[in-house]
Amino acid sequence: MRMRGKKKRLRLSLVKNSTAVNTSIQRKLRQLQKIIPGCNEMDLETLFPRIANYILSLQVKVNILKNISTLYGV
């Protein structure tokens, strides 16, 4: 029964901090836009697929470099 009170307080604190969360999310999205090439001032619908593709391409590059280093014994 105590869990109900904790959940209620958590929900209330989340509602109070929603503007802080929104500004935090916006700041993080701006940082992502700066990091990912070609994503400056991009809308969210195209930003997330672009980020996913960029992460996948980085993973492929890392795997290629790992394979090359094991091939040459480095």
Side-chain angles (χ1 to χ4, degrees), residues 22-72:
N22 283 338
T23 55
S24 173
I25 290 172
Q26 290 174 354
R27 182 175 35 86
K28 290 176 183 177
L29 284 173
R30 276 187 259 121
Q31 289 174 346
L32 272 175
Q33 286 176 333
K34 291 178 184 177
I35 293 171
I36 308 297
C39 288
N40 293 338
E41 303 300 324
M42 190 176 284
D43 60 339
L44 292 179
E45 291 179 15
T46 54
L47 180 66
F48 289 120
R50 177 71 69 100
I51 291 170
N53 288 335
Y54 186 70
I55 291 171
L56 288 174
S57 69
L58 287 176
Q59 288 174 336
V60 168
K61 290 176 183 180
V62 166
N63 287 333
I64 290 171
L65 290 172
K66 282 181 181 179
N67 290 333
I68 289 172
S69 68
T70 57
L71 179 68
Y72 289 108

Side-chain angles (χ1 to χ4, degrees), residues 1-7 9:
M1 290 192 188
R2 287 185 170 191
M3 290 299 291
R4 288 184 183 178
K6 288 182 181 179
K7 286 182 181 180
R9 277 184 269 152

